[in-house]
Amino acid sequence: MTAAAPKKGPAVEPGGFPLNEFIVFSLIGGIVVIGIISAVIAGATPKGILTNLGFYVSVAIIFSVLALGFNLQWGYTGLFNAGIAGFYLIGAYVAAIAITSPAPPIVVGDVVVYPGHLGGFSLPLVVGVLLAMVAAGGAAAVVALPALRLRADYLAIATLALAVTLQIVTRNAQNITGGAIGITSVPPPILFQGTDASFLNAITMVGIGGFVLFALLVILQFMSESPWGRVLRAVREDEEATMALGKNTFSYKLQAFALGGALMGLAGALYAVTLGYLSPESSFAPAVTFSVWVMVIVGGSGNNRGAFVGAFLIYGMEWLSVQVRDQAASGLAANYLLMSVLFIALGVGALLAVLAVQFVGRRVLDRRRAWLLIAAILGAFGAAPAALGALPIGWCFALFVLLFGFAFVVDRAKKSRRARAGIYAAATLYGVGWAFILLQQLAPNAVADSFFYIRLMIIGALLILLIIFRPEGILREKKRVLR
Amino acid sequence: MLLEAQDLHAGYGEMEILHGVSMTLDEGELVTIIGPNGAGKSTLVKAMFGLIRVSGGRILFRGTDITARPPRELVIMGLGYVPQTNNTFPTLTILENLEMGAITRRISPLPLPWVRRGDARSRARMMNDGQIRKRAIETIKMFPNLEPKLREPAGALSGGEQQMVALAKSMMLDPEILLIDEPSAGLAPKLVDAVFSKIVEINERGTGIVIIEQNAKKALAIADRGYVLETGRNRFTGTGEGLLHNADVGRLYLGGAA
Amino acid sequence: MGLRRFRSRQTDHGRHTGTGSVVGGASEVAALGASTHRAIPGATRAGGSRRSRRVIVAAIGLTVLYGIRGFANFAYGDIATLGGYVALVLTFGGISLVLGAIITFLLLAAFGVFLEFAIFSRLEGRGVVAPLVASVGVGLIIQNGIRAVAGTQKWLYPVTLGQDFVIVPGLGIHPIRGILTLSVGVILVVAAHVLLKYTNLGKAMRATADNLELAKATGIDTRRVTYAAWAVSCSFASIAGVLLGLGSALSPTVGFESLLLIFAAVIVGGIGSPYGAMLGGLLVGMSQEMSVPVLVWLERPDVLGLQFGANYKVAVPFIILILVLIFRPWGIAGRKPVFAPRAFFLERITRSLRERPVSSEAVAADREAGKS
């Protein structure tokens, strides 16, 4: 796919303002800001908010590691893995089994309250992580062996099959994995006591995760620039030609796939210690795999920086939806209105920004264009609370319809891909806002769950739109001369 | 002039392989195109048949510009193409393969609204299922050894037989021009002779033929005229006999002086 | 059409099911669903063939599309689920299930054409991965859209589920689950056979699946064939979805859970070969159910002490899939490609150990093998 990626779309002009990067980072910033605002409304303490943010960052780091693993397999080598969740699961369970203390089954009368699980080896964290990487990498190699020599979709089907099967086996093999209850009380890296324990824990995990991610980025960058990485990219571009140069491409593909699997195992181990408990249900569902795809595609496959930015962005969406849902559970129904207005304001802001770039940006200096954008987005944020208090929803809607229609006309006239993408993004945000409002009206109780499903639907839509219109991702791989 | 390529530029993706090739084919002629590996012989026929993008030059069929027309239209106009390998549908029987060869002229027995009826001339040549079957039985008579195997899947046949099926399939519509890509590829010498004699037979019925060949000597021996390509450009042009005895061509492509 | 209305409808039709209790709703349905998943030793054989039939219908539909369009449609299970739910909604409108299934058949055919038109036609010529990714997106939207609208609970069709006809003690046939699904399955398999073998469209579909380039060069209207393939594929999926709903109960993941089984059937049968898919579906479905006695045997403490052994039958398609990929990647019914390397797997490993570059002919041959 990457080989056939069309060479169109706006390139970042050398020396110009990196607009795409700016948009991506401001979106991540927006997620954090909305998260904080909603937490403040829910009445969280500063420490609680920081704990929550720390959780976001550390899980986003875990997804970054997953995305880096997948990027190594697909982005660099062109091997498509549809079973990321499976290798993630292996890593998580192997690490958890290795580092937890013994957990015997709990039986009350004739009822098994807790089936216990294999292990209780109480090994140090580092050993657990290494074991997780070896196990997941080994599993990747074993699945890849028969499927690597076939067309890409065979590998995808085989890995998906592995992931689905592993999830079901994990649910049933109670004496190994604890069954549906899973493994509880995985020890954190440092055991804190007292009321601040969860806060300190979150900060520790951010620190450890940040270090691991930084180290990985450096190592992967080094590896991709090395002769080894060059061979991988050559395999992706033209396997036959690489073979003709005397490289054993099968062995290279196997190495890359196993290494990617090991990285996914590492992510699983990090997940086990970050959360402290494991259960086979949602954490390792196939949806995890699909989310990681979106992350890598958003960031631009074959681009490590993109993989990690994509992870922060896409996991941010999930985190935000959970934030909002949790507040819904605590009965703060009014927040939906606020959230909806925030999304609408974000949409309008993004649209304004796009229009500003379209009309002014072409003729002014890059720096000024950047300031305009910043002003527009800040203005949108500022407008949100005002809109909540002063502007009725109907006016908001009318305003948006006006702007959208205007933008549509401009888009038709100018035929700019960037404008179109911006308009669609703005419309999506806006649509999310309206979906919230409508759902709240229609089925107040269903809203909480629907958040989760709508998020997955958005991920699905993103997959389709990105693969059709922007397969090279938002942050593209630098052009490299291969031959 | 039946078919004419003028200064053709074409290639795969961004890589251009033909850098301006010209050739002509007259009514009832048999022309062969030879040249070393990678000279762009196959690319030339594929470009003429609308299978790859043409970036420059044009192709004329009886004076009409047919550059970049989709293959289906060309088939309807009266061109045929036999690819080098994989030129039959392996899971279809020989009979079904031949029926597929006439699919562009089939009248659907159902009055379906979306079926395109075409202009008056092409309507007149349309066939219903019975006529197509009759035509297939007639066509297969040219290839007597295939007759008993009519209901066997083409994939079970030998390489030479598959080549014959491919020829028969393209003869279903009696095309005015047949483009044949390396009919001798992967065949034993004896079979090559059989295939070539079949091609001459088709040519004698009035079909203009362009053959791409590695086996230059045999191809030149049956050709009226020949073109020698090298790295995507015309190198030599002449009659079949002439090229066969040309010292330069002989030294370069025919393995020693003739 | 709010959620509340759906909920009340559901209680309604809980009454329709006529299984005795009027309490209706999710708990009863869930219990029913669970009971069909439990392995009942005596009914194993009937269960096996029942499952195989559903898989066969779905596998034929998937393989037709796979062969012609050349990519693995990961949304296929969810399209089947969608079919099941569309039929369910139609029965709420007072239409009988049979008529509802026929309307669903047509609606889903149109849906397939729409998918190709709106999404997949834009991804032609972009390799196998791009449409695969897009199909996952389609699947996510369908599955979670169903969850958001109809909820996660299980639903039953408002048909009376009678008692089993007991043939021999311990082995019975259920009038709806057994006889109806059997006859529908047989009808669809026969219909697929007639379509592919005797109609011009079917022959053109097989030809296009065999060799897209040659089909174009022959003058086959591959565009129209592709749309037809989507229509056939999605309408078969809808019937498979209705059968899944009849077999146990409808849930948003009922199709996705069968996807693996369907893919195993398609690959075992050889991609693009409808007859292979029939055989593969039979083989995979039967072997999955046949594995249950073995797994139950493994549950015995003196053998392995496996817990919930019967649940491991879901691993069977995976094992079959891997075995087929190792030994016969072109499928059990497919023909070995002309240029297939002799010792496919072991030779490749020894080769890579010897660090000798692999010749390009072998690569070409492998590609052939992958394509076939």
Side-chain angles (χ1 to χ4, degrees):
Chain A
M1 188 234 98
T2 31
K7 290 175 178 57
K8 46 190 172 182
V12 178
E13 312 85 33
F17 179 72
L19 185 65
N20 291 341
E21 275 84 346
F22 182 78
I23 291 174
V24 168
F25 282 108
S26 35
L27 277 176
I28 295 176
I31 286 168
V32 171
V33 169
I34 297 179
I36 290 176
I37 291 176
S38 60
V40 168
I41 293 167
T45 59
K47 251 181 197 154
I49 294 173
L50 275 181
T51 311
N52 219 338
L53 271 182
F55 181 74
Y56 162 57
V57 173
S58 46
V59 179
I61 286 171
I62 291 168
F63 273 104
S64 306
V65 176
L66 279 179
L68 287 175
F70 180 60
N71 196 25
L72 185 62
Q73 294 174 340
W74 186 44
Y76 282 110
T77 327
L79 303 169
F80 200 72
N81 181 350
I84 298 169
F87 304 115
Y88 187 41
L89 183 148
I90 294 177
Y93 273 89
V94 167
I97 286 170
I99 65 177
T100 42
S101 44
I106 304 167
V107 182
V108 180
D110 266 352
V111 184
V112 181
V113 178
Y114 180 64
H117 63 84
L118 182 75
F121 300 111
S122 304
L123 294 171
L125 177 62
V126 178
V127 178
V129 168
L130 286 178
L131 280 175
M133 290 177 72
V134 169
V142 168
V143 181
L145 265 179
L148 269 187
R149 69 218 154 82
L150 302 171
R151 222 172 52 169
D153 42 351
Y154 286 88
L155 181 62
I157 293 170
T159 46
L160 176 81
L162 175 79
V164 172
T165 309
L166 269 178
Q167 203 195 358
I168 295 168
V169 167
T170 312
R171 200 181 297 149
N172 288 301
Q174 286 200 344
N175 42 8
I176 300 171
T177 62
I181 296 169
I183 298 179
T184 53
S185 65
V186 180
I190 307 170
L191 200 60
F192 294 105
Q193 302 289 338
T195 47
D196 281 348
S198 63
F199 171 68
L200 291 172
N201 238 330
I203 300 302
T204 322
M205 279 325 298
V206 171
I208 292 177
F211 172 73
V212 168
L213 181 63
F214 180 73
L216 270 182
L217 280 172
V218 171
I219 292 169
L220 283 173
Q221 204 53 41
F222 176 73
M223 274 163 72
S224 72
E225 301 294 341
S226 72
W228 188 78
R230 281 204 299 274
V231 175
L232 292 191
R233 280 200 297 279
V235 169
R236 180 190 72 189
E237 299 298 334
D238 190 340
E239 188 176 348
E240 251 169 87
T242 317
M243 238 176 227
L245 291 174
K247 300 287 178 195
N248 184 342
T249 57
F250 185 78
S251 152
Y252 275 95
K253 278 157 71 177
L254 194 61
Q255 288 167 25
F257 199 78
L259 203 59
L263 286 186
M264 291 165 191
L266 170 64
L270 281 177
Y271 179 82
V273 285
T274 304
L275 255 78
Y277 63 89
L278 293 177
S279 80
E281 296 307 327
S282 64
S283 320
F284 305 105
V288 171
T289 305
F290 308 147
S291 304
V292 174
W293 291 358
V294 184
M295 291 166 191
V296 170
I297 296 172
V298 163
S301 66
N303 175 355
N304 285 331
R305 187 189 50 149
F308 116 82
V309 170
F312 271 78
L313 193 62
I314 301 301
Y315 177 68
M317 265 175 59
E318 175 176 345
W319 176 72
L320 200 59
S321 74
V322 172
Q323 288 292 92
V324 176
R325 184 183 64 172
D326 287 351
Q327 282 155 44
S330 65
L332 293 168
N335 285 349
Y336 284 120
L337 212 58
L338 177 65
M339 294 309 295
S340 328
V341 175
L342 273 177
F343 270 114
I344 291 170
L346 261 183
V348 175
L351 199 64
L352 280 174
V354 170
L355 289 180
V357 171
Q358 273 315 104
F359 279 123
V360 196
R362 294 267 174 262
R363 276 172 233 108
V364 296
L365 289 170
D366 286 329
R367 201 171 286 275
R368 263 183 72 192
R369 193 200 297 183
W371 282 117
L372 267 171
L373 253 173
I374 293 169
I377 289 170
L378 283 181
F381 274 116
L388 179 69
L391 264 182
I393 297 294
W395 282 107
C396 247
F397 183 68
L399 178 71
F400 184 80
V401 169
L402 227 118
L403 277 171
F404 190 80
F406 185 50
F408 191 74
V409 173
V410 173
D411 171 37
R412 287 290 126 194
K414 289 220 159 188
K415 298 221 178 295
S416 151
R417 280 171 64 89
R418 188 178 291 171
R420 204 170 305 163
I423 287 164
Y424 289 141
T428 310
L429 282 171
Y430 183 77
V432 170
W434 272 101
F436 288 168
I437 293 179
L438 285 178
L439 266 171
Q440 196 208 351
Q441 300 290 321
L442 280 171
N445 298 324
V447 172
D449 291 332
S450 298
F451 266 115
F452 211 67
Y453 306 136
I454 290 172
R455 178 186 67 87
L456 287 172
M457 286 171 82
I458 292 174
I459 285 188
L462 268 180
L463 272 177
I464 297 172
L465 292 175
L466 281 171
I467 207 76
I468 291 179
F469 295 110
R470 210 174 161 84
E472 73 273 27
I474 294 173
L475 310 177
R476 275 189 298 177
E477 181 183 17
K478 270 181 279 173
K479 279 263 168 292
R480 288 188 183 86
V481 180
L482 278 173
R483 275 171 268 180
Chain B
M1 202 70 68
L2 197 55
L3 185 70
E4 189 175 2
Q6 297 174 340
D7 192 29
L8 214 55
H9 292 254
Y12 301 92
E14 283 176 4
M15 191 157 56
E16 193 179 273
I17 291 176
L18 297 183
H19 314 284
V21 176
S22 302
M23 64 154 289
T24 59
L25 176 72
D26 267 327
E27 210 82 39
E29 229 183 355
L30 200 163
V31 164
T32 184
I33 297 169
I34 60 172
N37 264 335
K41 307 183 300 281
S42 289
T43 316
L44 177 60
V45 275
K46 281 184 185 163
M48 287 200 285
F49 206 69
L51 289 168
I52 53 176
R53 209 170 48 80
V54 175
S55 47
R58 44 184 209 152
I59 305 146
L60 303 176
F61 172 63
R62 292 192 188 285
T64 327
D65 192 341
I66 57 163
T67 319
R69 293 261 188 108
R72 186 178 150 81
E73 275 182 38
L74 301 182
V75 171
I76 293 172
M77 290 174 89
L79 274 79
Y81 168 59
V82 183
Q84 181 177 350
T85 48
N86 296 328
N87 47 20
T88 56
F89 299 116
T91 67
L92 272 60
T93 64
I94 296 182
L95 189 60
E96 285 169 341
N97 263 290
L98 297 191
E99 286 173 10
M100 284 299 117
I103 196 163
T104 51
R105 279 194 207 157
R106 176 177 177 272
I107 305 168
S108 171
L110 306 170
L112 298 171
W114 58 79
V115 173
R116 285 170 227 144
R117 297 288 171 197
D119 57 26
R121 185 168 159 267
S122 61
R123 253 205 310 274
R125 295 191 303 183
M126 296 295 254
M127 295 185 272
N128 63 28
D129 285 345
Q131 287 164 323
I132 288 179
R133 172 135 329 174
K134 227 168 88 191
R135 168 91 195 139
I137 308 254
E138 255 167 48
T139 310
I140 209 72
K141 291 216 173 90
M142 277 180 74
F143 307 90
N145 54 335
L146 292 180
E147 270 188 285
K149 298 182 174 175
L150 218 47
R151 299 197 186 264
E152 280 181 29
L157 303 175
S158 70
E161 285 170 329
Q162 289 203 21
Q163 200 69 44
M164 297 291 191
V165 172
L167 282 176
K169 174 167 150 282
S170 59
M171 285 308 292
M172 280 294 287
L173 299 179
D174 254 331
E176 295 179 62
I177 300 169
L178 202 51
L179 309 173
I180 306 175
D181 195 352
E182 283 213 37
S184 70
L187 296 187
K190 215 171 156 187
L191 287 170
V192 175
D193 289 341
V195 170
F196 272 39
S197 68
K198 250 340 143 199
I199 292 172
V200 171
E201 202 182 317
I202 293 169
N203 180 239
E204 279 162 2
R205 293 165 149 222
T207 306
I209 292 182
V210 179
I211 309 181
I212 305 298
E213 252 315 327
Q214 288 276 1
N215 197 336
K217 270 185 190 165
K218 275 187 178 157
L220 286 175
I222 61 165
D224 296 322
R225 285 189 301 117
Y227 292 88
V228 182
L229 296 195
E230 197 184 59
T231 59
R233 288 186 178 81
N234 289 79
R235 180 76 190 268
F236 300 101
T237 311
T239 61
E241 282 291 295
L243 284 178
L244 205 51
H245 297 113
N246 181 315
D248 284 337
V249 177
R251 188 162 35 77
L252 287 166
Y253 308 114
L254 303 178
Chain C
M1 172 77 77
L3 280 162
R4 245 162 295 170
R5 211 174 126 208
F6 259 112
R7 291 253 159 79
S8 63
R9 283 289 191 182
Q10 199 217 4
T11 341
D12 261 14
H13 97 246
R15 226 171 278 136
H16 275 290
T17 53
T19 32
S21 126
V22 202
V23 191
S27 63
E28 178 193 298
V29 178
L32 248 170
S35 78
T36 52
H37 287 304
R38 202 185 309 134
I40 307 155
T44 305
R45 265 236 317 254
S49 60
R50 192 191 301 149
R51 180 172 283 273
S52 340
R53 267 191 310 280
R54 264 173 248 138
V55 171
I56 287 172
V57 172
I60 293 171
L62 182 61
T63 208
V64 164
L65 186 65
Y66 206 154
I68 287 175
R69 213 44 193 76
F71 75 92
N73 185 358
F74 275 41
Y76 196 73
D78 297 312
I79 293 172
T81 318
L82 182 68
Y85 273 85
V86 170
L88 180 76
V89 171
L90 288 174
T91 58
F92 286 168
I95 300 171
S96 80
L97 183 60
V98 175
L99 186 62
I102 292 169
I103 297 174
T104 310
F105 189 86
L106 299 174
L107 282 178
L108 266 274
F111 179 68
V113 172
F114 166 76
L115 281 182
E116 166 70 14
F117 174 76
I119 297 172
F120 294 98
S121 62
R122 295 163 195 269
L123 295 171
E124 227 179 294
R126 293 260 303 271
V128 292
V129 171
L132 190 156
V133 169
S135 77
V136 167
V138 171
L140 277 175
I141 292 177
I142 295 176
Q143 199 186 97
N144 292 291
I146 290 173
R147 279 203 185 110
V149 175
T152 48
Q153 70 268 50
K154 299 201 168 190
W155 296 79
L156 277 184
Y157 288 114
V159 288
T160 323
L161 296 169
Q163 298 291 311
D164 283 10
F165 296 139
V166 178
I167 298 170
V168 268
L171 180 69
I173 288 189
H174 191 279
I176 296 225
R177 292 202 198 118
I179 295 167
L180 187 80
T181 55
L182 174 70
S183 42
V184 170
V186 169
I187 289 170
L188 282 184
V189 169
V190 171
H193 175 77
V194 170
L195 171 76
L196 292 165
K197 191 73 199 170
Y198 299 106
T199 70
N200 203 60
L201 176 68
K203 288 176 200 168
M205 281 165 88
R206 275 160 60 212
T208 312
D210 272 355
N211 189 338
L212 180 68
E213 278 290 294
L214 183 63
K216 277 185 183 157
T218 307
I220 294 173
D221 191 343
T222 50
R223 181 92 266 146
R224 196 188 296 161
V225 167
T226 308
Y227 281 127
W230 272 97
V232 168
S233 173
C234 289
S235 50
F236 270 55
S238 76
I239 298 305
V242 174
L243 292 184
L244 280 172
L246 277 175
S248 49
L250 274 181
S251 72
T253 52
V254 71
F256 188 79
E257 280 159 10
S258 320
L259 186 66
L260 189 50
L261 213 59
I262 301 170
F263 268 126
V266 166
I267 289 183
V268 166
I271 288 169
S273 151
Y275 306 113
M278 294 179 201
L279 199 62
L282 203 65
L283 193 83
V284 173
M286 293 299 263
S287 57
Q288 187 173 44
E289 292 306 317
M290 290 301 187
S291 69
V292 172
V294 180
L295 290 167
V296 170
W297 176 69
L298 287 176
E299 274 178 30
R300 281 166 47 178
D302 55 325
V303 182
L304 198 67
L306 203 65
Q307 285 168 317
F308 306 112
N311 287 337
Y312 288 99
K313 69 180 184 189
V314 293
V316 170
F318 174 64
I319 292 164
I320 295 179
L321 194 65
I322 293 293
L323 288 178
V324 168
L325 287 188
I326 292 172
F327 295 107
R328 276 186 81 91
W330 53 89
I332 47 166
R335 271 169 322 94
K336 193 172 181 171
V338 186
F339 300 106
R342 263 152 244 97
F344 229 74
F345 180 52
L346 293 174
E347 193 188 330
R348 209 55 194 274
I349 295 175
T350 46
R351 235 189 231 153
S352 67
L353 290 178
R354 270 184 279 145
E355 278 290 327
R356 202 190 67 190
V358 185
S359 68
S360 65
E361 291 99 295
V363 184
D366 276 10
R367 290 210 173 152
E368 290 303 321
K371 271 176 207 152
S372 68

